[in-house]
Amino acid sequence: MRPAFPLLALLGLLAACNASPPQVAAAPPSVSYQVSGSDAGQAGVKAQHYCEQFGRSAQFQGVQTTASGNVATYTCSASR
């Protein structure tokens, strides 16, 4: 059991590093992510990657409180 502990610890660290806000909805030209509090930083990075698929840039629209938690919404706007 002892050799398995370092492997399990490493897997736990990798899972924590990979944690990101789950996507709530996506219907071009917008995308929404569930966020913790009003921290939309990681959601903004994901939104930018999402919008780049369409040759657009993510524009933050705000965070709204819903029954399932806070949701950050972005629209995909034409790049200037």
Side-chain angles (χ1 to χ4, degrees), residues 3 6 8-9 11 13 15 17 21 29 32-34 36 39 41 44 47-48 50 52 55 59 73-74 77-80:
L8 291 175
L11 290 175
L13 286 173
C17 291
S32 300
Y33 297 94
Q34 188 165 3
S36 176
D39 181 13
Q48 184 60 34
Y50 174 82
E52 285 174 352
Q59 300 296 315
T73 302
Y74 299 82
S77 302
S79 300
R80 294 181 189 173

PDB file of all heavy atoms in Angstrom, residues 3 6 8-9 11 13 15 17 21 29 32-34 36 39 41 44 47-48 50 52 55 59 73-74 77-80:
ATOM      1  N   PRO A   3       3.722   2.059  -1.677  1.00  0.00           N
ATOM      2  CA  PRO A   3       4.114   2.630  -2.969  1.00  0.00           C
ATOM      3  C   PRO A   3       2.960   3.324  -3.683  1.00  0.00           C
ATOM      4  O   PRO A   3       3.174   4.190  -4.510  1.00  0.00           O
ATOM      5  CB  PRO A   3       4.592   1.419  -3.776  1.00  0.00           C
ATOM      6  CG  PRO A   3       4.931   0.383  -2.775  1.00  0.00           C
ATOM      7  CD  PRO A   3       4.010   0.630  -1.618  1.00  0.00           C
ATOM      8  N   PRO A   6       2.294   7.759  -2.968  1.00  0.00           N
ATOM      9  CA  PRO A   6       2.798   8.882  -3.778  1.00  0.00           C
ATOM     10  C   PRO A   6       2.039   9.040  -5.103  1.00  0.00           C
ATOM     11  O   PRO A   6       1.805  10.159  -5.551  1.00  0.00           O
ATOM     12  CB  PRO A   6       4.262   8.524  -4.030  1.00  0.00           C
ATOM     13  CG  PRO A   6       4.625   7.602  -2.923  1.00  0.00           C
ATOM     14  CD  PRO A   6       3.350   6.836  -2.616  1.00  0.00           C
ATOM     15  N   LEU A   8      -1.144   8.253  -5.656  1.00  0.00           N
ATOM     16  CA  LEU A   8      -2.443   8.841  -5.346  1.00  0.00           C
ATOM     17  C   LEU A   8      -2.316  10.327  -5.021  1.00  0.00           C
ATOM     18  O   LEU A   8      -3.160  11.130  -5.424  1.00  0.00           O
ATOM     19  CB  LEU A   8      -3.097   8.106  -4.177  1.00  0.00           C
ATOM     20  CG  LEU A   8      -3.552   6.681  -4.471  1.00  0.00           C
ATOM     21  CD1 LEU A   8      -4.073   6.015  -3.198  1.00  0.00           C
ATOM     22  CD2 LEU A   8      -4.621   6.668  -5.540  1.00  0.00           C
ATOM     23  N   ALA A   9      -1.277  10.710  -4.313  1.00  0.00           N
ATOM     24  CA  ALA A   9      -1.054  12.119  -3.989  1.00  0.00           C
ATOM     25  C   ALA A   9      -0.820  12.921  -5.262  1.00  0.00           C
ATOM     26  O   ALA A   9      -1.355  14.023  -5.425  1.00  0.00           O
ATOM     27  CB  ALA A   9       0.121  12.259  -3.027  1.00  0.00           C
ATOM     28  N   LEU A  11      -1.858  12.200  -8.312  1.00  0.00           N
ATOM     29  CA  LEU A  11      -3.114  12.283  -9.050  1.00  0.00           C
ATOM     30  C   LEU A  11      -4.044  13.328  -8.432  1.00  0.00           C
ATOM     31  O   LEU A  11      -4.724  14.063  -9.149  1.00  0.00           O
ATOM     32  CB  LEU A  11      -3.800  10.922  -9.096  1.00  0.00           C
ATOM     33  CG  LEU A  11      -3.114   9.875  -9.974  1.00  0.00           C
ATOM     34  CD1 LEU A  11      -3.813   8.523  -9.834  1.00  0.00           C
ATOM     35  CD2 LEU A  11      -3.085  10.314 -11.414  1.00  0.00           C
ATOM     36  N   LEU A  13      -3.112  16.047  -6.813  1.00  0.00           N
ATOM     37  CA  LEU A  13      -2.583  17.369  -7.167  1.00  0.00           C
ATOM     38  C   LEU A  13      -2.908  17.729  -8.602  1.00  0.00           C
ATOM     39  O   LEU A  13      -3.272  18.864  -8.901  1.00  0.00           O
ATOM     40  CB  LEU A  13      -1.071  17.408  -6.960  1.00  0.00           C
ATOM     41  CG  LEU A  13      -0.607  17.478  -5.506  1.00  0.00           C
ATOM     42  CD1 LEU A  13       0.910  17.341  -5.444  1.00  0.00           C
ATOM     43  CD2 LEU A  13      -1.057  18.766  -4.860  1.00  0.00           C
ATOM     44  N   ALA A  15      -5.442  16.698 -10.368  1.00  0.00           N
ATOM     45  CA  ALA A  15      -6.872  16.978 -10.458  1.00  0.00           C
ATOM     46  C   ALA A  15      -7.176  18.375  -9.934  1.00  0.00           C
ATOM     47  O   ALA A  15      -7.988  19.104 -10.502  1.00  0.00           O
ATOM     48  CB  ALA A  15      -7.669  15.929  -9.690  1.00  0.00           C
ATOM     49  N   CYS A  17      -5.160  20.977  -9.943  1.00  0.00           N
ATOM     50  CA  CYS A  17      -4.633  21.955 -10.885  1.00  0.00           C
ATOM     51  C   CYS A  17      -5.526  22.089 -12.113  1.00  0.00           C
ATOM     52  O   CYS A  17      -5.552  23.128 -12.753  1.00  0.00           O
ATOM     53  CB  CYS A  17      -3.225  21.569 -11.338  1.00  0.00           C
ATOM     54  SG  CYS A  17      -2.014  21.713 -10.020  1.00  0.00           S
ATOM     55  N   PRO A  21     -13.939  26.231 -13.971  1.00  0.00           N
ATOM     56  CA  PRO A  21     -15.385  26.386 -13.871  1.00  0.00           C
ATOM     57  C   PRO A  21     -16.118  25.583 -14.941  1.00  0.00           C
ATOM     58  O   PRO A  21     -15.742  25.602 -16.103  1.00  0.00           O
ATOM     59  CB  PRO A  21     -15.602  27.881 -14.067  1.00  0.00           C
ATOM     60  CG  PRO A  21     -14.353  28.402 -14.675  1.00  0.00           C
ATOM     61  CD  PRO A  21     -13.266  27.454 -14.326  1.00  0.00           C
ATOM     62  N   PRO A  29     -23.751  33.474 -30.067  1.00  0.00           N
ATOM     63  CA  PRO A  29     -22.462  34.069 -29.689  1.00  0.00           C
ATOM     64  C   PRO A  29     -22.286  34.269 -28.192  1.00  0.00           C
ATOM     65  O   PRO A  29     -21.732  35.273 -27.759  1.00  0.00           O
ATOM     66  CB  PRO A  29     -22.512  35.416 -30.386  1.00  0.00           C
ATOM     67  CG  PRO A  29     -23.945  35.815 -30.269  1.00  0.00           C
ATOM     68  CD  PRO A  29     -24.722  34.521 -30.377  1.00  0.00           C
ATOM     69  N   SER A  32     -21.638  30.633 -20.909  1.00  0.00           N
ATOM     70  CA  SER A  32     -21.754  30.898 -19.480  1.00  0.00           C
ATOM     71  C   SER A  32     -21.042  29.804 -18.696  1.00  0.00           C
ATOM     72  O   SER A  32     -21.043  28.639 -19.106  1.00  0.00           O
ATOM     73  CB  SER A  32     -23.224  30.939 -19.054  1.00  0.00           C
ATOM     74  OG  SER A  32     -23.907  31.950 -19.747  1.00  0.00           O
ATOM     75  N   TYR A  33     -20.463  30.199 -17.550  1.00  0.00           N
ATOM     76  CA  TYR A  33     -19.746  29.270 -16.689  1.00  0.00           C
ATOM     77  C   TYR A  33     -20.165  29.478 -15.241  1.00  0.00           C
ATOM     78  O   TYR A  33     -20.383  30.611 -14.810  1.00  0.00           O
ATOM     79  CB  TYR A  33     -18.232  29.488 -16.788  1.00  0.00           C
ATOM     80  CG  TYR A  33     -17.685  29.216 -18.147  1.00  0.00           C
ATOM     81  CD1 TYR A  33     -17.525  30.237 -19.072  1.00  0.00           C
ATOM     82  CD2 TYR A  33     -17.339  27.927 -18.541  1.00  0.00           C
ATOM     83  CE1 TYR A  33     -17.029  29.997 -20.334  1.00  0.00           C
ATOM     84  CE2 TYR A  33     -16.841  27.672 -19.806  1.00  0.00           C
ATOM     85  CZ  TYR A  33     -16.691  28.719 -20.690  1.00  0.00           C
ATOM     86  OH  TYR A  33     -16.207  28.472 -21.952  1.00  0.00           O
ATOM     87  N   GLN A  34     -20.253  28.390 -14.491  1.00  0.00           N
ATOM     88  CA  GLN A  34     -20.523  28.495 -13.064  1.00  0.00           C
ATOM     89  C   GLN A  34     -19.224  28.929 -12.387  1.00  0.00           C
ATOM     90  O   GLN A  34     -18.157  28.395 -12.683  1.00  0.00           O
ATOM     91  CB  GLN A  34     -20.992  27.154 -12.508  1.00  0.00           C
ATOM     92  CG  GLN A  34     -21.475  27.252 -11.090  1.00  0.00           C
ATOM     93  CD  GLN A  34     -22.255  26.028 -10.668  1.00  0.00           C
ATOM     94  OE1 GLN A  34     -22.391  25.076 -11.423  1.00  0.00           O
ATOM     95  NE2 GLN A  34     -22.755  26.060  -9.464  1.00  0.00           N
ATOM     96  N   SER A  36     -17.258  30.611  -8.598  1.00  0.00           N
ATOM     97  CA  SER A  36     -17.298  30.723  -7.146  1.00  0.00           C
ATOM     98  C   SER A  36     -17.296  32.197  -6.778  1.00  0.00           C
ATOM     99  O   SER A  36     -16.377  32.922  -7.147  1.00  0.00           O
ATOM    100  CB  SER A  36     -16.082  30.007  -6.556  1.00  0.00           C
ATOM    101  OG  SER A  36     -16.051  30.184  -5.169  1.00  0.00           O
ATOM    102  N   ASP A  39     -15.633  35.615  -8.713  1.00  0.00           N
ATOM    103  CA  ASP A  39     -14.342  35.401  -9.360  1.00  0.00           C
ATOM    104  C   ASP A  39     -14.543  34.752 -10.728  1.00  0.00           C
ATOM    105  O   ASP A  39     -14.772  33.559 -10.840  1.00  0.00           O
ATOM    106  CB  ASP A  39     -13.455  34.526  -8.482  1.00  0.00           C
ATOM    107  CG  ASP A  39     -12.081  34.296  -9.088  1.00  0.00           C
ATOM    108  OD1 ASP A  39     -11.722  35.004 -10.050  1.00  0.00           O
ATOM    109  OD2 ASP A  39     -11.352  33.415  -8.597  1.00  0.00           O
ATOM    110  N   GLY A  41     -12.238  35.023 -13.233  1.00  0.00           N
ATOM    111  CA  GLY A  41     -10.941  34.991 -13.920  1.00  0.00           C
ATOM    112  C   GLY A  41     -10.740  33.765 -14.798  1.00  0.00           C
ATOM    113  O   GLY A  41     -10.471  33.883 -15.992  1.00  0.00           O
ATOM    114  N   GLY A  44     -13.150  33.550 -17.639  1.00  0.00           N
ATOM    115  CA  GLY A  44     -12.801  34.448 -18.745  1.00  0.00           C
ATOM    116  C   GLY A  44     -11.814  33.817 -19.705  1.00  0.00           C
ATOM    117  O   GLY A  44     -11.923  33.977 -20.927  1.00  0.00           O
ATOM    118  N   ALA A  47     -13.755  31.284 -21.660  1.00  0.00           N
ATOM    119  CA  ALA A  47     -14.644  31.963 -22.613  1.00  0.00           C
ATOM    120  C   ALA A  47     -13.851  32.455 -23.820  1.00  0.00           C
ATOM    121  O   ALA A  47     -14.320  32.359 -24.958  1.00  0.00           O
ATOM    122  CB  ALA A  47     -15.359  33.125 -21.931  1.00  0.00           C
ATOM    123  N   GLN A  48     -12.648  32.968 -23.570  1.00  0.00           N
ATOM    124  CA  GLN A  48     -11.823  33.450 -24.680  1.00  0.00           C
ATOM    125  C   GLN A  48     -11.481  32.304 -25.632  1.00  0.00           C
ATOM    126  O   GLN A  48     -11.582  32.444 -26.848  1.00  0.00           O
ATOM    127  CB  GLN A  48     -10.549  34.123 -24.162  1.00  0.00           C
ATOM    128  CG  GLN A  48      -9.689  34.720 -25.243  1.00  0.00           C
ATOM    129  CD  GLN A  48     -10.396  35.801 -26.048  1.00  0.00           C
ATOM    130  OE1 GLN A  48     -11.221  36.553 -25.526  1.00  0.00           O
ATOM    131  NE2 GLN A  48     -10.101  35.884 -27.333  1.00  0.00           N
ATOM    132  N   TYR A  50     -13.211  29.591 -26.037  1.00  0.00           N
ATOM    133  CA  TYR A  50     -14.463  29.212 -26.701  1.00  0.00           C
ATOM    134  C   TYR A  50     -14.748  30.148 -27.883  1.00  0.00           C
ATOM    135  O   TYR A  50     -15.031  29.698 -28.995  1.00  0.00           O
ATOM    136  CB  TYR A  50     -15.618  29.253 -25.696  1.00  0.00           C
ATOM    137  CG  TYR A  50     -16.969  29.026 -26.320  1.00  0.00           C
ATOM    138  CD1 TYR A  50     -17.413  27.730 -26.583  1.00  0.00           C
ATOM    139  CD2 TYR A  50     -17.792  30.085 -26.659  1.00  0.00           C
ATOM    140  CE1 TYR A  50     -18.645  27.514 -27.173  1.00  0.00           C
ATOM    141  CE2 TYR A  50     -19.033  29.872 -27.240  1.00  0.00           C
ATOM    142  CZ  TYR A  50     -19.453  28.584 -27.494  1.00  0.00           C
ATOM    143  OH  TYR A  50     -20.672  28.375 -28.081  1.00  0.00           O
ATOM    144  N   GLU A  52     -12.712  32.071 -29.537  1.00  0.00           N
ATOM    145  CA  GLU A  52     -11.682  32.020 -30.589  1.00  0.00           C
ATOM    146  C   GLU A  52     -12.023  30.996 -31.659  1.00  0.00           C
ATOM    147  O   GLU A  52     -11.604  31.132 -32.804  1.00  0.00           O
ATOM    148  CB  GLU A  52     -10.316  31.738 -29.983  1.00  0.00           C
ATOM    149  CG  GLU A  52      -9.732  32.944 -29.273  1.00  0.00           C
ATOM    150  CD  GLU A  52      -8.437  32.643 -28.545  1.00  0.00           C
ATOM    151  OE1 GLU A  52      -8.033  31.454 -28.453  1.00  0.00           O
ATOM    152  OE2 GLU A  52      -7.828  33.606 -28.050  1.00  0.00           O
ATOM    153  N   GLY A  55     -13.501  32.920 -34.321  1.00  0.00           N
ATOM    154  CA  GLY A  55     -12.772  34.109 -34.742  1.00  0.00           C
ATOM    155  C   GLY A  55     -13.228  35.361 -34.013  1.00  0.00           C
ATOM    156  O   GLY A  55     -13.192  36.447 -34.572  1.00  0.00           O
ATOM    157  N   GLN A  59     -16.359  38.875 -24.411  1.00  0.00           N
ATOM    158  CA  GLN A  59     -16.690  40.117 -23.719  1.00  0.00           C
ATOM    159  C   GLN A  59     -17.520  39.764 -22.480  1.00  0.00           C
ATOM    160  O   GLN A  59     -18.600  39.188 -22.603  1.00  0.00           O
ATOM    161  CB  GLN A  59     -17.487  41.060 -24.626  1.00  0.00           C
ATOM    162  CG  GLN A  59     -16.756  41.458 -25.886  1.00  0.00           C
ATOM    163  CD  GLN A  59     -15.498  42.251 -25.598  1.00  0.00           C
ATOM    164  OE1 GLN A  59     -15.498  43.154 -24.783  1.00  0.00           O
ATOM    165  NE2 GLN A  59     -14.419  41.902 -26.277  1.00  0.00           N
ATOM    166  N   THR A  73     -21.360  35.255 -17.499  1.00  0.00           N
ATOM    167  CA  THR A  73     -21.781  35.180 -18.894  1.00  0.00           C
ATOM    168  C   THR A  73     -20.898  36.058 -19.765  1.00  0.00           C
ATOM    169  O   THR A  73     -20.524  37.164 -19.370  1.00  0.00           O
ATOM    170  CB  THR A  73     -23.254  35.628 -19.039  1.00  0.00           C
ATOM    171  OG1 THR A  73     -24.066  34.794 -18.205  1.00  0.00           O
ATOM    172  CG2 THR A  73     -23.731  35.516 -20.477  1.00  0.00           C
ATOM    173  N   TYR A  74     -20.575  35.540 -20.944  1.00  0.00           N
ATOM    174  CA  TYR A  74     -19.736  36.229 -21.925  1.00  0.00           C
ATOM    175  C   TYR A  74     -20.409  36.184 -23.276  1.00  0.00           C
ATOM    176  O   TYR A  74     -21.097  35.204 -23.586  1.00  0.00           O
ATOM    177  CB  TYR A  74     -18.371  35.540 -22.041  1.00  0.00           C
ATOM    178  CG  TYR A  74     -17.590  35.534 -20.765  1.00  0.00           C
ATOM    179  CD1 TYR A  74     -17.835  34.587 -19.786  1.00  0.00           C
ATOM    180  CD2 TYR A  74     -16.616  36.487 -20.534  1.00  0.00           C
ATOM    181  CE1 TYR A  74     -17.137  34.587 -18.597  1.00  0.00           C
ATOM    182  CE2 TYR A  74     -15.904  36.492 -19.341  1.00  0.00           C
ATOM    183  CZ  TYR A  74     -16.167  35.533 -18.374  1.00  0.00           C
ATOM    184  OH  TYR A  74     -15.476  35.547 -17.200  1.00  0.00           O
ATOM    185  N   SER A  77     -17.728  38.601 -29.400  1.00  0.00           N
ATOM    186  CA  SER A  77     -17.821  39.764 -30.277  1.00  0.00           C
ATOM    187  C   SER A  77     -16.745  39.700 -31.349  1.00  0.00           C
ATOM    188  O   SER A  77     -15.678  39.137 -31.126  1.00  0.00           O
ATOM    189  CB  SER A  77     -17.648  41.045 -29.469  1.00  0.00           C
ATOM    190  OG  SER A  77     -18.619  41.128 -28.462  1.00  0.00           O
ATOM    191  N   ALA A  78     -17.040  40.328 -32.483  1.00  0.00           N
ATOM    192  CA  ALA A  78     -16.067  40.385 -33.563  1.00  0.00           C
ATOM    193  C   ALA A  78     -14.803  41.079 -33.080  1.00  0.00           C
ATOM    194  O   ALA A  78     -14.874  42.103 -32.405  1.00  0.00           O
ATOM    195  CB  ALA A  78     -16.653  41.138 -34.753  1.00  0.00           C
ATOM    196  N   SER A  79     -13.657  40.499 -33.382  1.00  0.00           N
ATOM    197  CA  SER A  79     -12.370  41.077 -32.992  1.00  0.00           C
ATOM    198  C   SER A  79     -12.142  42.359 -33.779  1.00  0.00           C
ATOM    199  O   SER A  79     -12.492  42.455 -34.949  1.00  0.00           O
ATOM    200  CB  SER A  79     -11.238  40.084 -33.252  1.00  0.00           C
ATOM    201  OG  SER A  79     -11.449  38.924 -32.523  1.00  0.00           O
ATOM    202  N   ARG A  80     -11.523  43.318 -33.115  1.00  0.00           N
ATOM    203  CA  ARG A  80     -11.249  44.596 -33.796  1.00  0.00           C
ATOM    204  C   ARG A  80      -9.812  44.720 -34.136  1.00  0.00           C
ATOM    205  O   ARG A  80      -8.930  44.263 -33.634  1.00  0.00           O
ATOM    206  CB  ARG A  80     -11.640  45.758 -32.888  1.00  0.00           C
ATOM    207  CG  ARG A  80     -13.120  45.781 -32.654  1.00  0.00           C
ATOM    208  CD  ARG A  80     -13.474  46.942 -31.789  1.00  0.00           C
ATOM    209  NE  ARG A  80     -14.875  46.805 -31.414  1.00  0.00           N
ATOM    210  CZ  ARG A  80     -15.463  47.584 -30.558  1.00  0.00           C
ATOM    211  NH1 ARG A  80     -14.802  48.555 -29.989  1.00  0.00           N
ATOM    212  NH2 ARG A  80     -16.714  47.411 -30.259  1.00  0.00           N
TER     213      ARG A  80
END
